[in-house]
Amino acid sequence: MASTEPAAEAAGGPQAEPAPRPCAGGPVRLVVFDFDDTLALTGIDFPAVKRRVAERLGAEGLWQGTPEEAAGTPLPLLVERAGGRPRLAAELLAMVEEAEAEGLRRLRWSPGLEATLHALRRRGLRLAVLTNNARGPVGRVLGEAGLDRFFDAVAGREDVPAMKPHPDGLLALCARLGVAPAEALFVGDSEVDQRAARQAGCAFVRFLPGDGGGGRGVPVAEDVARIARLEELVAMVDPAGAQAGRGEGGGSLRIAYQGEPGANSEAAALAWRSGAETAGLPAIRDVFAAVAGGGADCGLVPVENAYAGTIGETLDGFLEFEVAIVGEVYQAVHHHLMALPGVRLEAVRRVVSHPQALAQCAESLRRRGWEPVAARDTAGAARELRARADQAGAGAGGGPLPAELAETAVLASRRAAALYRLEILLENLEDRPDNATRFWVIAPAGAARLPGGPEEGGPGRPPGSRWKTTLVMATEHAPGALWRALGAFARREVNLSKLESRPNRRRPWEALFFVDADGYAAEEPLAGALAELAGLTTWYRLLGSYRAEEPPGPVALP
């Protein structure tokens, strides 16, 4: 829980913040995160939480201080006042845990955090969490955030005899995971955290300074930037490995995609680069932001489906962020109908999934009379269904399923069914067996080459490859303007495989045009067409030249 901690020890004065080289004494095998601070829960207005706790204590005669005094008091000390009243203490802790859960829900999608956890695990490190709260609620919050898969253990109130930060919690984690304290690194944000690490014999690094006691809630955007700093942990723990893993030609790429583990976008990312580090984000725009901001080496964004058409949000991303297209991927898409174990097909009344998945299965849903319900993404719908069942304690040996859950199914991938413990009721519900989605691989603008791949932006590209170039342009809002611009390609017999219009945000009721042209931008005949195009448009921007991939072939329908 983010709080203002005592600035100095009982004797000896404040501790200096250590230099960020915590691993000089030897190899690190375990990294322990302070759940309450390091996972950036300071995005919540904790002074307001403290005031609510103090008001509840005041109503019971356990607090006589002012709201200002409450805002400046560490939450653990406030909650301790109800130590002799178990029911009241549980109520107060529930208030705190609710605030922390909301904080993690807001910030869980930081590309920096997820990429860091991926990278640390890839280096063979064990990861753990230390918290004031009970293990159960923290585990549920991590599960909701999709972060539980990274951590080997959680130490909570059951392991710490006094309010943490306490060395016993760190020692309990080391013992449970079979790691010597000298081989553990504690990531916290205060002198108290540092003192606990020293007493346990662990290394310590202070990454996220607290709010300094001023009672000022930290803006969420600022906190996300702080989380991204955790990427420095990779270089601290394993400097040589961090550099080797990022080298040109052999390094591991960090690929951002829209969705959650089990999404079709994740499958496409791994098909493009097997073994890459992947990070799922809530929205397509977030993928653009992560790539443009350096939170990922590249991103995978869906541009069009063979039958549901173009994804406008992807095209709009190029108008907001400076990124380039460096590749394309075609992914065959199969949607399976899945539900909680024990649900019968004839009981299903509604089907939840991403709008694109619902559109690709529209006829199948309509024929069976099922109500389509839109969700953020396919795998997210599967995870949410599992989470609701677990929260209700229903199914899989628990109580009976509530009627709403027993009547709900989702459309998602086979991997999503396995990840979220759902049973597939019907396979391949898509209306067309050759259903496929085309993805663009995007990278920061100006990226000449991605580590781990052959994409190049200049001479030396693989010979014999078929290339494609994508651009966006604006023409005068006048008769024949678009026809004249397209003539630059027609006169040189350059084939255009896609022409899509999007609203011009700067000039309402006028359009921008996205164009896919066959060829490499720096070579004829396309180079000549682009040179002429400059005089036939009011503006155009080259989004990238990349190797063209072959789409899946058509499937004969019965």
Side-chain angles (χ1 to χ4, degrees):
M1 55 191 74
S3 57
T4 305
E5 303 287 3
E9 297 190 22
Q15 298 296 305
E17 183 173 329
R21 283 288 168 189
C23 308
V28 169
R29 295 176 54 206
L30 168 67
V31 178
V32 179
F33 291 88
D34 180 347
F35 175 83
D36 309 308
D37 294 318
T38 306
L39 292 188
L41 301 178
T42 50
I44 292 297
D45 186 0
F46 273 95
V49 178
K50 295 175 187 178
R51 285 192 289 271
R52 290 200 299 274
V53 170
E55 289 170 1
R56 186 73 183 87
L57 290 169
E60 300 292 333
L62 298 174
W63 173 264
Q64 288 80 39
T66 65
E68 289 72 23
E69 290 171 329
T73 302
L75 266 169
L77 298 183
L78 281 177
V79 175
E80 274 184 345
R81 290 174 175 263
R85 306 272 296 278
R87 184 172 297 179
L88 177 61
E91 178 186 333
L92 298 179
L93 285 169
M95 293 170 58
V96 175
E97 289 165 358
E98 180 183 355
E100 290 178 335
E102 174 59 26
L104 191 53
R105 276 191 290 271
R106 290 189 193 180
L107 301 172
R108 67 189 181 193
W109 294 106
S110 163
L113 174 59
E114 187 150 347
T116 296
L117 297 178
H118 269 295
L120 292 174
R121 293 294 302 206
R122 281 171 55 83
R123 282 163 175 74
L125 293 168
R126 310 200 74 175
L127 307 182
V129 170
L130 183 62
T131 175
N132 265 336
N133 299 316
R135 293 192 213 113
V138 170
R140 284 196 296 274
V141 170
L142 290 173
E144 289 179 11
L147 299 175
D148 55 336
R149 66 190 188 278
F150 294 111
F151 294 103
D152 298 293
V154 175
R157 286 201 306 267
E158 302 91 334
D159 309 283
V160 184
M163 281 290 181
K164 79 132 202 99
H166 195 285
D168 284 359
L170 290 169
L171 293 173
L173 285 168
C174 289
R176 192 181 308 168
L177 298 176
V179 174
E183 298 174 309
L185 168 66
F186 183 37
V187 182
D189 81 334
S190 68
E191 286 87 357
V192 176
D193 292 338
Q194 181 184 351
R195 183 167 65 246
R198 187 174 66 251
Q199 291 171 350
C202 301
F204 173 78
V205 62
R206 182 178 181 176
F207 258 88
L208 302 171
D211 65 10
R216 176 182 63 85
V218 179
V220 169
E222 182 179 336
D223 243 13
V224 170
R226 289 179 175 182
I227 295 178
R229 288 196 58 215
L230 289 174
E231 289 187 339
E232 299 171 26
L233 277 176
V234 178
M236 289 183 178
V237 172
D238 181 13
Q243 289 303 315
R246 309 290 303 134
E248 182 175 295
S252 175
L253 285 174
R254 298 170 300 171
I255 306 179
Y257 66 91
Q258 186 274 323
E260 301 194 21
N264 289 301
S265 293
E266 182 200 41
L270 294 175
W272 185 68
R273 284 291 182 277
S274 61
E277 298 173 10
T278 57
L281 304 178
I284 291 173
R285 184 188 182 278
D286 297 329
V287 177
F288 278 89
V291 172
D297 294 312
C298 58
L300 213 74
V301 289
V303 58
E304 60 182 330
N305 177 264
Y307 297 104
T310 300
I311 291 88
E313 186 180 356
T314 293
L315 300 185
D316 292 342
F318 292 97
L319 307 179
E320 183 176 358
F321 297 97
E322 291 291 326
V323 299
I325 302 171
V326 297
E328 69 175 358
V329 182
Y330 287 91
Q331 177 72 19
V333 176
H334 300 291
H335 300 296
H336 306 303
L337 187 81
M338 59 195 68
L340 293 164
V343 170
R344 295 175 295 113
L345 180 62
E346 54 267 28
V348 173
R349 298 289 181 270
R350 68 192 63 84
V351 177
V352 185
S353 196
H354 187 276
Q356 280 276 330
L358 295 173
Q360 293 161 26
C361 302
E363 181 57 35
S364 297
L365 300 182
R366 188 162 45 246
R367 189 167 58 249
R368 292 170 173 85
W370 292 330
E371 175 193 0
V373 179
R376 188 174 63 195
D377 67 270
T378 55
R383 182 186 62 79
E384 176 64 21
L385 183 60
R386 165 52 57 192
R388 289 170 61 194
D390 290 347
Q391 187 175 17
L401 287 173
E404 183 183 3
L405 298 182
E407 296 174 350
T408 299
V410 301
L411 290 172
S413 68
R414 194 179 301 279
R415 172 167 151 77
L419 283 173
Y420 305 113
R421 308 191 315 278
L422 302 178
E423 290 185 353
I424 294 178
L425 303 180
L426 288 174
E427 296 184 334
N428 302 328
L429 211 65
E430 60 275 5
D431 296 334
R432 293 285 304 235
D434 50 357
N435 185 42
T437 295
R438 176 187 176 213
F439 293 84
W440 274 329
V441 184
I442 60 173
R449 183 180 174 94
L450 290 175
E455 288 66 33
E456 298 184 63
R461 58 191 178 85
S465 301
R466 191 169 69 85
W467 285 72
K468 188 182 293 185
T469 294
T470 298
L471 60 100
V472 57
M473 64 182 186
T475 65
E476 292 183 359
H477 194 52
L482 177 60
W483 177 80
R484 286 190 292 274
L486 296 179
F489 301 100
R491 282 186 288 278
R492 292 167 179 82
E493 297 186 343
V494 173
N495 182 55
L496 303 183
S497 56
K498 186 175 180 65
L499 176 64
E500 187 84 23
S501 67
R502 292 295 294 167
N504 188 334
R505 295 178 177 179
R506 296 183 179 179
R507 305 183 69 173
W509 307 111
E510 296 187 17
L512 299 174
F513 300 95
F514 285 79
V515 177
D516 282 352
D518 288 354
Y520 188 70
E523 295 178 355
E524 297 296 346
L526 183 56
L530 295 176
E532 183 181 352
L533 192 67
L536 299 172
T537 58
T538 57
W539 168 84
Y540 92 90
R541 176 181 156 205
L542 192 66
L543 299 181
S545 286
Y546 48 94
R547 230 174 1 194
E549 301 294 337
E550 289 298 325
V555 174
L557 296 177

